[in-house]
Amino acid sequence: LGSCHDDVSDIRPRSDSMSLPCAEHKQSKATRTKMSVPQQQEIYVRVKRHHQTFFVHAERSVTTMLDVKAHVSRALNTHGSHTISSQSMKLYNNTEMTTELSDTSTLTDCGIHNDDILYVVFPLKDENDAWEDVDIHIGPDG
């Protein structure tokens, strides 16, 4: 019998027997393709604050919440609307602000998937340890 290889075309019969493909080669092409497709890792996450939405292209397993904050900070500093560091932000995955997302947690750790929404808040000016509430302004189209 021929030996099993990754590609059926690489199976070479021995001269005294006919070649039979291994069990994995008998699977349908669709099944092999489905099995070989990695779990979706690159995603887009929307980060919202008031009337602003920041789109972050990220890799689920390695992008941390601090990385997401840094993206928002760069976007704000580039457009001059705010000068705020990534350490001066808090991220939440719901509008109730029940649990702040840890800076060291990855998107995977927090259960964040493609097209999920995160909410960013900033400290209130001139108030010690006080933070904005999540306040999302929805336009006339919803």
Side-chain angles (χ1 to χ4, degrees), residues 35-51:
M35 290 174 58
S36 66
V37 174
Q39 193 176 30
Q40 183 182 18
Q41 293 296 315
E42 290 189 8
I43 63 172
Y44 282 96
V45 177
R46 293 178 284 165
V47 181
K48 293 190 171 202
R49 176 183 180 263
H50 299 293
H51 63 278

Side-chain angles (χ1 to χ4, degrees), residues 45-54 56 65-66 68-73 76 82 84-95 97 100-101 103 117-123 131-136:
V45 177
R46 293 178 284 165
V47 181
K48 293 190 171 202
R49 176 183 180 263
H50 299 293
H51 63 278
Q52 297 171 310
T53 300
F54 305 93
V56 180
M65 294 303 116
L66 188 58
V68 173
K69 289 178 182 180
H71 178 88
V72 172
S73 179
L76 288 172
H82 289 88
I84 189 162
S85 72
S86 54
Q87 290 81 17
S88 298
M89 301 177 193
K90 290 185 179 183
L91 281 175
Y92 297 92
N93 62 354
N94 59 47
T95 57
M97 299 172 60
E100 179 185 357
L101 301 176
D103 283 350
I117 300 172
L118 300 177
Y119 303 94
V120 64
V121 296
F122 298 160
W131 291 82
E132 303 173 327
D133 290 327
V134 170
D135 183 20
I136 305 303

Side-chain angles (χ1 to χ4, degrees), residues 9-67:
S9 63
D10 286 339
I11 297 175
R12 295 184 186 104
R14 294 172 50 191
S15 60
D16 60 341
S17 66
M18 57 185 273
S19 176
L20 297 174
C22 299
E24 70 184 16
H25 293 298
K26 291 182 180 179
Q27 297 172 349
S28 71
K29 183 178 179 181
T31 303
R32 283 194 309 251
T33 303
K34 182 179 177 186
M35 290 174 58
S36 66
V37 174
Q39 193 176 30
Q40 183 182 18
Q41 293 296 315
E42 290 189 8
I43 63 172
Y44 282 96
V45 177
R46 293 178 284 165
V47 181
K48 293 190 171 202
R49 176 183 180 263
H50 299 293
H51 63 278
Q52 297 171 310
T53 300
F54 305 93
F55 293 89
V56 180
H57 182 236
E59 191 169 328
R60 283 192 74 224
S61 60
V62 296
T63 302
T64 65
M65 294 303 116
L66 188 58
D67 296 331

Side-chain angles (χ1 to χ4, degrees), residues 121-141:
V121 296
F122 298 160
L124 294 173
K125 293 181 192 290
D126 303 324
E127 293 190 37
N128 292 337
D129 297 325
W131 291 82
E132 303 173 327
D133 290 327
V134 170
D135 183 20
I136 305 303
H137 297 259
I138 299 174
D141 296 331

